[in-house]
Structure formats: C-alpha cells, structure tokens
Amino acid sequence: MDKGLKDKKSRYKYNFSTFLVGSIIIILVLFAISVIIIGSYAFKYSFTAEYNDSVLRISKSAAKEVDGDQIEDYLQLSQEQIDRVSEEMVEDSELSVIANYTPISYVTTENTLTQLCNDMGMIVIYVIVPTNDYDNFISVFNCLNDNTKFSKWEIGHVSQTTNEEYKTDYRAIMEGKSSGETVLRISELGEGDPHITALTPITDSNGDVKAIMCVQRGLDDLSSTRKSFTIGVGALAVILIELAIVMSTIYLKIQLFNPMKIIAGEADRFAKEKTREEDSILSKDLCNVKEVNQLAHYIDKMEVDTINYIEDITQFTGARERLSAELELASGIQNGMLPSVAEMSEPKEGYSIYASMTPARAVGGDFFDFYMIDDTHLVILIADVSDKGVGAAFFMAISKTLIKARAGMGGSAAEIISYVDKMIAEKNTEGMFVTVWMAIIDLSTGHVNICNSGHDYPAIMTGSGDYVIEKKTPHGPPIGFIPGAQFVEYDIDIEPGDRIFLYTDGLNEAKRSDGERFGLDRMLTVLNSHKGDSNEKTIAAMKDAVALFVGPEDQFDDMTMLSFTYEKKI
C-alpha cells in the first residue's frame, strides 16, 4: 500500500472518530441547553405564580386598612392639611386617638400602609380612584418604601392610566366584576424596573366599590434567583458533559474504533487476495456492540458471496430480466384495476370526473376510484398506501376491493371505512396502513357525506370563488394504523358548478434539487389559474407545473390526482 493511500485512510478514520465524538458533544450540549431553558421557564412560571398570589394577598390585607366610607372626604383634604396634622401627631401623640377627625384618620391610615409597605418589602402601596372613562385616576394614598427611588404623589394627584390592561382591570374592579387582579410588567417601563401590581377593591359600608388598592412588588428576587438557578444547572451540565465525553471516548475506542480497524484490515486483505481465510476473524464477535459484530459477519458473508458472484452473474441477469417482466405485468394489472381513461371521458349524468396515477416505481401504492352505488349516489375516493413498490401495490388492491365491496352494501362513509379498517387490522401483520379520503355524493341534492382517514385535505371550489383548502374539517387515523380506531365523518352541500380536487402527498411534496417542495400554495395557484378548464385539462396543467418545478429531479413518491365537477342535479 502506498503512503498516499495510508494517509487518506488514516485521515478518514480520524474524521469519523471526530465526527462521532463531536456529535455526542453537540447532543449533550443541546440537551443541557434544553434543560436550562425548560427549567428556567418552569421556575419562572412557578415563581411568578407565587408572586401573583402573595402580592394579591397583601393587597387584600392592605385594603382592609382603608375606610371606604371616607374616600370622598379624604379627597377634599389638601396636602398642606395632611402635612400639618402629621407634624402635630408627631408632637402630640394623643391626637391619634381622634379617629373621627378626617385628617387624623388619613394620616393614621397612611402611616399604617407605609409601615406595611416597608415590612412586606413592597415598592409602593397606593390607593386610587379612576375617572369615569378610566383614562386617568386620582391618587388618594401613595405610600412608598423607604428604599424606593420614586417620588411620592400628593393627594389628589391625577395620572394617566398606563395601558389598556390597567384600564380593563380598573373597570372590572370598579364595576364589581372582579375581586382582584394582577398586572405583570416587564417591558416598556420607562425609568421603572420590572414589577407586578395587585389590584383589589376598597368598599364602603354598603358594599359599593369606592377606590382601588394597588400594591406593587419588584421582580428583583425573581431575576436573581432564576440567574442562580440557571448558573447552577449550567455548571452541573458542564460537569456531566465532560464526564460523558471521557466515558464515551473510552467506550467508543474499545467497542467501536478498534473493531472497525480490524474489519477494515480484513476488507483490505480480501480486496487484494480475493480469497477467504478458513477461520476468518470476522466470523467471531469482535466487541459487545451488536451492530459492529453484525457488520463483521455481513462482510464475512459478503466475501463468500463475492467469490460466488462471478459464477452466478449469468443466472442473476436472467432473474433480473424475469423480474422486470413480472413488474411490467404487475403494473398492467394495477392499471387495469383503476378506472380507465375511456371510463372517465365518457359522458355522465350530473357530473364529470378525471383522475391520474403516476407511480414512483414500476407499481405504486396510490389509488383512486369512483362508482355509482345506486341511481343517485356517487362514491369518489383517493388513497395513499404507506409504502411504495410491489408490497404497496398488493395492499392497494386489497384496500380498494374491500372499500368498493362494502360501499355496495350501503351505509355512510364512516361506516364503510370502519368496516374496511376492521377487516385489514385482523390480518395486517406487516403493519402497513393506507390514508383514504372518501365521499358519497347525492347527485340529486348536492349533499356530500365525507370520511377522511388521515389523508390530505381536498381543495374545493364553490360558486364563482377560488379553490380553497378546508383544513379544519374532522378526520381520523389511516386505515390499519390504530386497531379499533373510531372514524368520524362530516357533511357538506355543493351546488352545480362546484369542484373538488383530490391529491396524494406525492403532489404537494414533490421537490426539486434544492430541497424545496411544490407545496399547497403552488397547487392552489395552478388550480385557480385553470378553474374554467375541464377536469382533464386541469390535471394535465398540474402535471406540467410539477414537471417544470422539479426539473430533472427523480420522482420520489407516487403522485395521484382526481378532479370532480358537479354539473347539475339529476
């Protein structure tokens, strides 16, 4: 082996190791970030709820200290009277017992609220009377914490209501519709800090609301505690990540990298010698990782198969040709099960219809159907099996046959789908399922009974309007997806001229080389550009639009479309 090849192999091994360990680190970091974000949010939610409850309780307690019968008398006082009485009460303590003297009552209440504000660590406790339009309010009491940076409002001070939330809460309290509200303010604070304000009513002896008690508490504790929590969780996450990196690196080296080196060496030997050793090391377990041992065993088996491959190449080519012929036959059988172009093109009484199914492989899992179950009732449906290829085509044939057979027995769309689901679930050992949109249309009235079992929502055009997708209609799970599932149905009414466009996800999920999908918006644009065309021309235009969009990109999923027009009532 030359030095250049050795260097390249060494570089690939290093890059794989780095990628794997790096992926683990990234996953752990993302997990840690997720834990911090979720934990921080849960902590904030819980802490905020506690703040709401505690501030509201303090507000209700403070409201009991204010005599609602004297609110109007208080507002007749001047700040000079209050200041003078306050000074006299300091000089003569006996004045405080004259409770029926309004200035003394005011000063006593103000002192009580100020003491409560300081004791409970509130920013401010204040009492207000909103104006009739709630755009402004009048200050009655304004009791500040000793450490606050705000200036005190004098009695009678008029301020503008801060925002609509306050205005709504003022109205609810003053009109007796609420016994308490809280307002959380974090942004648009001006010079203020984040805070929460509790609002409770102050009533007179008759129970009428005369004012609002407001208690404001800062959120400093919430911010600092959440910061400590985040730092703690982050530090723990870093420690766990470092520990996980060390342990995963050691484990990967022993259980993955060293065994992979052995496997690579044996593969290199076989590539040169084209012989298999009698007692191959790859036939033994190299480590405790199941997948690595399986890889070794598969490569060992591949060596045997490769030796035999040259002898079997002729037989393999013949088998491939036979398989191609069988797939072609299967495709013809599947196309024969669907309504033919001739059936769709011939005139019909009361309606016109056209559909197409383009499989991603030789055979597909999509299907469509339409048939009369009596003189006036037409069934239309479209379906998409959970896989592609021969298995999906076989499952499609069973599903289509069961639906048509049960529809011929009568019943609603949901009853038909429920029956088919039960029959399929009994023998669905492979876990396949099929999405179905089915409608029973009364051509004499335009009444449509619909059951959607996990399928894409249809595009419907009514009157002279555009096609729209009704995404809020009821729907259930796919057939065969959940044993014993319940299927729902709904009804609509259509008028002559209305159209229904059905499709499978191979249409809206068709993608071009840059990964962008065709999407529902483009689908609706095409439909509305051709809403005056026949059903056949509409589908042809949709095919052309998809082909132009995807360009040379291979079709990755079956694409089926059905366009129905209600022509007249029969």
Side-chain angles (χ1 to χ4, degrees):
M1 182 184 300
D2 65 342
K3 186 176 183 300
L5 184 57
K6 288 183 178 179
D7 291 343
K8 183 180 293 185
K9 291 180 65 177
S10 177
R11 184 173 68 255
Y12 288 160
K13 177 181 177 182
Y14 173 79
N15 289 340
F16 175 71
S17 306
T18 304
F19 170 76
L20 198 55
V21 175
S23 298
I24 293 174
I25 294 173
I26 292 173
I27 292 172
L28 291 173
V29 169
L30 292 176
F31 175 76
I33 292 174
S34 300
V35 169
I36 292 173
I37 292 174
I38 295 172
S40 179
Y41 175 80
F43 176 82
K44 176 183 176 182
Y45 178 82
S46 176
F47 210 82
T48 302
E50 189 277 332
Y51 261 50
N52 275 337
D53 183 63
S54 64
V55 177
L56 196 57
R57 281 188 279 107
I58 294 171
S59 178
K60 290 181 178 180
S61 297
K64 296 177 181 178
E65 301 295 334
V66 181
D67 186 353
D69 291 318
Q70 297 195 59
I71 293 297
E72 294 180 0
D73 295 334
Y74 289 158
L75 288 175
Q76 300 303 316
L77 299 173
S78 67
Q79 189 63 43
E80 290 76 10
Q81 286 179 284
I82 296 170
D83 293 341
R84 185 172 61 253
V85 170
S86 180
E87 293 174 2
E88 292 173 354
M89 288 178 63
V90 173
E91 296 173 357
D92 186 356
S93 59
E94 293 182 1
L95 287 176
S96 61
V97 300
I98 310 176
N100 59 351
Y101 183 46
T102 301
I104 293 179
S105 172
Y106 180 92
V107 173
T108 302
T109 302
E110 183 179 48
N111 291 339
T112 301
L113 295 179
T114 301
Q115 184 65 39
L116 180 62
C117 182
N118 282 284
D119 291 345
M120 302 307 296
M122 301 297 104
I123 296 175
V124 60
I125 295 179
Y126 57 102
V127 176
I128 62 171
V129 176
T131 57
N132 291 335
D133 57 6
Y134 300 99
D135 287 335
N136 300 282
F137 60 83
I138 304 169
S139 174
V140 183
F141 290 97
N142 191 248
C143 305
L144 302 176
N145 188 289
D146 292 342
N147 296 321
T148 187
K149 62 183 180 181
F150 296 117
S151 299
K152 182 177 180 179
W153 290 336
E154 293 185 352
I155 187 168
H157 175 82
V158 178
S159 293
Q160 186 177 4
T161 302
T162 306
N163 54 41
E164 285 299 322
E165 184 177 6
Y166 274 111
K167 189 174 181 179
T168 300
D169 291 344
Y170 290 167
R171 185 187 302 275
I173 291 174
M174 293 300 294
E175 294 178 0
K177 297 178 181 178
S178 174
S179 61
E181 300 289 341
T182 57
V183 179
L184 180 65
R185 297 198 64 200
I186 297 176
S187 59
E188 298 181 2
L189 299 169
E191 297 180 356
D193 296 322
H195 61 267
I196 184 170
T197 303
L199 314 173
T200 52
I202 296 175
T203 59
D204 61 13
S205 55
N206 295 323
D208 297 328
V209 180
K210 293 297 183 179
I212 300 175
M213 170 60 69
C214 308
V215 176
Q216 187 178 112
R217 180 179 182 181
L219 297 179
D220 293 341
D221 291 343
L222 172 62
S223 300
S224 60
T225 307
R226 185 173 63 173
K227 181 178 180 181
S228 299
F229 170 83
T230 303
I231 293 174
V233 173
L236 179 61
V238 170
I239 295 173
L240 293 177
I241 289 174
E242 291 179 349
L243 181 62
I245 291 172
V246 173
M247 294 180 63
S248 61
T249 302
I250 295 173
Y251 179 82
L252 290 173
K253 182 177 181 181
I254 296 174
Q255 298 294 336
L256 182 61
F257 299 145
N258 289 344
M260 291 294 290
K261 183 177 180 181
I262 295 173
I263 293 173
E266 171 59 19
D268 181 63
R269 184 205 64 78
F270 178 78
K272 293 178 179 178
E273 301 176 5
K274 300 295 188 297
T275 59
R276 179 179 180 273
E277 296 180 348
E278 192 66 29
D279 187 19
S280 174
I281 190 173
L282 299 185
S283 63
K284 304 173 184 178
D285 289 344
L286 300 178
C287 61
N288 295 328
V289 180
K290 177 182 177 181
E291 289 75 10
V292 174
N293 289 324
Q294 286 180 335
L295 176 62
H297 298 161
Y298 292 154
I299 292 179
D300 183 54
K301 184 178 182 300
M302 183 187 68
E303 292 179 357
V304 176
D305 293 342
T306 301
I307 292 174
N308 296 329
Y309 177 76
I310 297 176
E311 299 175 1
D312 296 339
I313 188 66
T314 303
Q315 297 179 5
F316 175 78
T317 302
R320 184 175 181 180
E321 291 176 352
R322 289 193 300 272
L323 177 60
S324 178
E326 290 174 0
L327 286 175
E328 185 176 349
L329 176 62
S331 177
I333 294 174
Q334 183 181 46
N335 289 330
M337 294 186 68
L338 300 175
S340 66
V341 173
E343 290 178 279
M344 292 184 287
S345 300
E346 64 185 18
K348 299 170 182 63
E349 186 177 9
Y351 72 98
S352 60
I353 195 167
Y354 197 83
S356 72
M357 195 273 282
T358 308
R361 300 179 184 173
V363 290
D366 286 2
F367 67 92
F368 65 88
D369 211 346
F370 65 91
Y371 40 84
M372 300 292 295
I373 54 177
D374 58 35
D375 291 340
T376 60
H377 288 85
L378 169 72
V379 171
I380 65 171
L381 63 91
I382 193 167
D384 185 356
V385 178
S386 58
D387 201 353
K388 298 179 285 293
V390 176
F394 186 70
F395 196 79
M396 161 262 185
I398 295 174
S399 303
K400 181 179 181 298
T401 302
L402 286 173
I403 292 173
K404 188 169 186 177
R406 178 60 182 83
M409 297 166 62
S412 69
E415 291 172 342
I416 295 169
I417 294 298
S418 297
Y419 172 83
V420 175
D421 176 72
K422 180 180 179 182
M423 297 299 293
I424 287 179
E426 291 178 354
K427 300 294 183 180
N428 189 15
T429 58
E430 297 302 317
M432 297 184 72
F433 59 88
V434 56
T435 66
V436 179
W437 190 94
M438 176 182 183
I440 302 175
I441 304 173
D442 188 340
L443 297 175
S444 65
T445 65
H447 184 73
V448 185
N449 175 237
I450 301 168
C451 181
N452 185 346
S453 58
H455 199 77
D456 295 280
Y457 297 102
I460 300 177
M461 185 192 78
T462 58
S464 59
D466 289 338
Y467 278 93
V468 295
I469 297 176
E470 297 291 343
K471 294 186 177 181
K472 295 183 179 180
T473 54
H475 64 88
I479 293 176
F481 190 69
I482 303 176
Q486 298 296 315
F487 293 89
V488 296
E489 60 185 38
Y490 64 98
D491 299 279
I492 63 173
D493 290 294
I494 58 177
E495 297 294 334
D498 292 353
R499 307 182 73 170
I500 299 174
F501 182 80
L502 307 177
Y503 57 95
T504 60
D505 56 12
L507 170 61
N508 56 295
E509 294 186 4
K511 66 177 182 178
R512 61 190 183 194
S513 57
D514 62 359
E516 184 173 353
R517 307 284 181 176
F518 187 71
L520 296 178
D521 290 340
R522 288 188 176 89
M523 183 188 80
L524 289 174
T525 298
V526 175
L527 288 175
N528 290 319
S529 298
H530 296 271
K531 59 185 180 181
D533 291 349
S534 66
N535 297 306
E536 183 177 0
K537 288 183 178 180
T538 298
I539 289 180
M542 190 66 71
K543 284 184 176 180
D544 291 342
V546 173
L548 180 63
F549 175 79
V550 300
E553 193 74 7
D554 292 335
Q555 180 181 343
F556 78 97
D557 197 4
D558 303 335
M559 185 171 67
T560 302
M561 295 176 279
L562 183 148
S563 180
F564 165 84
T565 302
Y566 185 34
E567 302 289 356
K568 66 177 182 178
K569 296 181 180 180
I570 63 173

